Amino acid sequence: MTREPASPLGDLRLSPLLTATLPRWEQITAELRRPGPHIADVLRLADATGRPAVQPRCGVGGHPEMLRLLGELAATGADVLTVTVDAHTRLQQYATARRLMRDSPGDLNGYPLVAHGWRRGRELRAHVPHPLQVRHGSPDARDLFAVSLASGITSFEGGGIGYNLPYSKDVPLRTTLGSWQRIDAVCGALAGDGVLIDRELFGTLSAVLMPPSISLAITLLEAAAAAREGVRCVSPAYPQSGEMHQDIAALRAIRVLGRRYLGADVEVFPVLHEFMGPFPRTPQYANFLIIYGGLTARLGRASKVVSKTAQEGFGIPDAAANAEGILNTILGTSDLLDFIRVDEDRIAEEESWILQEVGELVEPLFATGDLLGGIVEAFQTGRLDIPFSASVHAHSDVLPARDRGGAVRYAHLGALPFSGTTRSRHARQLSARTGATHRATGLIEQITRDINYFLDKERTVLPATDERPQP
């Protein structure tokens, strides 16, 4: 009698009720191998053509509604589509998600994939000719990951730092790093069998005023931890700050960091999240910012850009706004704007400094024999930190601020282990701005103004229309 091989999913330690509902491992791998555009193919094509793939966020509670939404967005020119998961599923409140899915799916703020189950997940995948990605924000995503694999979805976002410290108040970092290590080990087993799962890493973190070196250091550490488990396809994501030279430099630095620290056998695909801070209120200015994000992604040689909509300042966007946001992003990534030139020397200098800062943050951790333990200790001591974190496991002693040109610098470095030259540079960059302005208004007022960066610019450009209601 032939014994069935053990499933790598066993190491995930899934919820017992979920384990009983999943198909056999060979059936899961067969679904993942099903012909069709896979995420890695789309990202490779984007790199080859120089036009970033475009992806919207989208997720609704009901299954028919989700099918309809994906169908509508598939016709817009997007390259990757999203299954954004609801808050109850993110927190493993599956019974609540299941009840709302049955009684009032419109009350869910995303698609409860675990409650719907892998068969419906496969229906989503078969409904559109685009690869899907699961986006969520869960500190412990093992159950969701298993259902995602069984659905045949080949891209899964998140990591043990980025999907914990910005979102959760008191989830131990060691716990989330361990659960994501198990997820990455399954991805590694699949990669060894010829099935690539793209692991996108959420460098956006707490979303506002994120210094590039913190964003890139966190995603690099998560990528390195994943690579040690056998992952061979990573997509470090970076949030648009709004100063184009800095954003381009950060995006270009991602590939350099991949070659330097991850090795040649790991494919690295940079991702840009269009501006995640307070969004303009007028549709005209909001759409300008979306086009600007697409252009930044192209000039930064990103493999993918996650689009925004003109309704971001008002709530969850509808399908029409999402479609318009996709089209505006595509305009920004197109060759229509090839006449635009940027200061390459300025970008090169900025990239050099970003690479130095990231190295100063991560190299002491790579030198230890225990990467995950070193990450936990670094956050305990403040040698790694995230500004504006919701978690008690981050000091949040780092305070960012914009310099005179709008680039994000460090106003307060906390215990980050930066060299004297790095510290002096940030002080110089901020000194021109923080003299009279800082003394007059104070640091908190300055940071608030920096967070509202594009709202202030909107009022300057469109003073008579910045409070018009969204049509």
Side-chain angles (χ1 to χ4, degrees):
M1 184 177 184
T2 303
R3 188 174 183 178
E4 183 176 323
S7 166
L9 294 182
D11 292 333
L12 289 177
R13 301 178 184 175
L14 303 172
S15 302
L17 291 177
L18 176 64
T19 301
T21 69
L22 292 173
R24 297 194 306 272
W25 179 248
E26 61 268 24
Q27 294 173 322
I28 292 175
T29 57
E31 184 67 22
L32 291 168
R33 295 178 191 276
R34 185 184 291 273
H38 290 267
I39 185 70
D41 298 326
V42 171
L43 297 174
R44 290 168 186 153
L45 179 62
D47 283 357
T49 61
R51 189 192 73 80
V54 177
Q55 176 183 0
R57 297 174 179 83
C58 57
V60 292
H63 187 63
E65 293 82 0
M66 187 68 190
L67 288 171
R68 183 165 58 251
L69 177 59
L70 288 175
E72 290 172 352
L73 296 181
T76 62
D79 303 285
V80 180
L81 295 177
T82 305
V83 180
T84 301
V85 173
D86 68 291
H88 297 292
T89 299
R90 295 171 193 171
L91 299 176
Q92 299 178 302
Q93 298 169 349
Y94 305 135
T96 302
R98 190 173 295 108
R99 175 177 57 79
L100 290 172
M101 175 191 76
R102 182 185 63 246
D103 299 337
S104 55
D107 291 338
L108 290 164
N109 64 346
Y111 185 82
L113 180 59
V114 174
H116 279 298
W118 59 269
R119 291 179 178 85
R120 284 187 171 179
R122 290 187 181 185
E123 289 179 14
L124 298 181
R125 182 175 180 239
H127 188 64
V128 290
H130 299 70
L132 300 180
Q133 180 189 55
V134 171
R135 310 186 77 97
H136 49 102
S138 175
D140 186 348
R142 290 172 294 165
D143 291 344
L144 178 61
F145 173 69
V147 177
S148 174
L149 285 186
S151 301
I153 297 173
T154 56
S155 184
F156 197 76
E157 187 193 28
I161 306 170
Y163 266 7
N164 176 357
L165 301 186
Y167 286 93
S168 303
K169 181 178 180 180
D170 191 10
V171 178
L173 190 54
R174 191 177 296 274
T175 299
T176 54
L177 288 170
S179 66
W180 283 93
Q181 183 181 27
R182 294 178 184 278
I183 288 172
D184 287 330
V186 175
C187 294
L190 286 165
D193 201 25
V195 178
L196 276 185
I197 303 297
D198 170 55
R199 288 282 292 106
E200 184 175 324
L201 309 165
F202 189 68
T204 298
L205 301 174
S206 48
V208 293
L209 287 188
M210 191 56 54
S213 55
I214 283 184
S215 171
L216 300 190
I218 297 301
T219 57
L220 179 62
L221 290 168
E222 290 181 332
R228 294 183 183 195
E229 299 301 321
V231 172
R232 291 295 173 261
C233 180
V234 296
S235 296
Y238 166 80
Q240 181 184 4
S241 75
E243 201 291 306
M244 180 173 278
H245 297 86
Q246 184 177 53
D247 289 335
I248 292 171
L251 287 168
R252 293 182 184 179
I254 291 173
R255 296 186 197 273
V256 179
L257 293 168
R259 292 191 297 269
R260 184 175 295 177
Y261 296 106
L262 301 181
D265 58 345
V266 179
E267 292 186 85
V268 177
F269 298 106
V271 175
L272 177 72
H273 284 258
E274 292 185 332
F275 188 68
M276 298 282 285
F279 222 72
R281 306 282 291 179
T282 52
Q284 297 87 350
Y285 201 83
N287 285 324
F288 157 75
L289 181 53
I290 292 165
I291 294 172
Y292 182 54
L295 175 63
T296 301
R298 177 171 176 139
L299 294 174
R301 302 168 195 153
S303 305
K304 188 178 72 174
V305 54
V306 181
S307 61
K308 301 287 276 188
T309 78
Q311 290 181 351
E312 299 296 329
F314 299 88
I316 298 174
D318 58 29
N322 230 329
E324 183 183 32
I326 293 167
L327 293 173
N328 281 315
T329 300
I330 290 172
L331 286 175
T333 65
S334 73
D335 56 10
L336 292 171
L337 300 179
D338 274 356
F339 65 91
I340 293 177
R341 297 290 179 267
V342 289
D343 187 338
E344 289 291 343
D345 290 338
R346 182 175 168 185
I347 291 169
E349 180 183 10
E350 190 74 36
E351 181 180 351
S352 176
W353 280 104
I354 289 172
L355 292 171
Q356 176 174 317
E357 291 176 21
V358 173
E360 290 173 357
L361 291 172
V362 304
E363 286 179 5
L365 299 178
F366 287 138
T368 68
D370 178 9
L371 178 60
L372 300 187
I375 292 171
V376 172
E377 183 180 2
F379 275 102
Q380 289 172 343
T381 62
R383 291 173 65 83
L384 281 178
D385 204 359
I386 295 174
F388 316 121
S389 173
S391 175
V392 300
H393 301 285
H395 287 246
S396 292
D397 282 342
V398 172
L399 288 178
R402 293 186 185 273
D403 66 17
R404 186 167 53 183
V408 179
R409 309 297 181 192
Y410 293 94
H412 186 265
L413 291 147
L416 298 181
F418 284 143
S419 64
T421 55
T422 296
R423 291 172 176 270
S424 297
R425 177 174 182 263
H426 283 276
R428 289 195 307 273
Q429 295 285 350
L430 290 174
S431 63
R433 177 193 169 172
T434 58
T437 302
H438 174 52
R439 288 192 297 271
T441 63
L443 184 59
I444 299 301
E445 291 83 357
Q446 176 181 307
I447 291 173
T448 301
R449 189 167 57 250
D450 289 343
I451 289 172
N452 293 325
Y453 185 65
F454 282 106
L455 293 182
D456 286 347
K457 287 189 174 294
E458 179 185 30
R459 282 189 283 268
T460 301
V461 176
L462 302 172
T465 59
D466 64 337
E467 295 301 329
R468 285 182 183 176
Q470 182 76 9

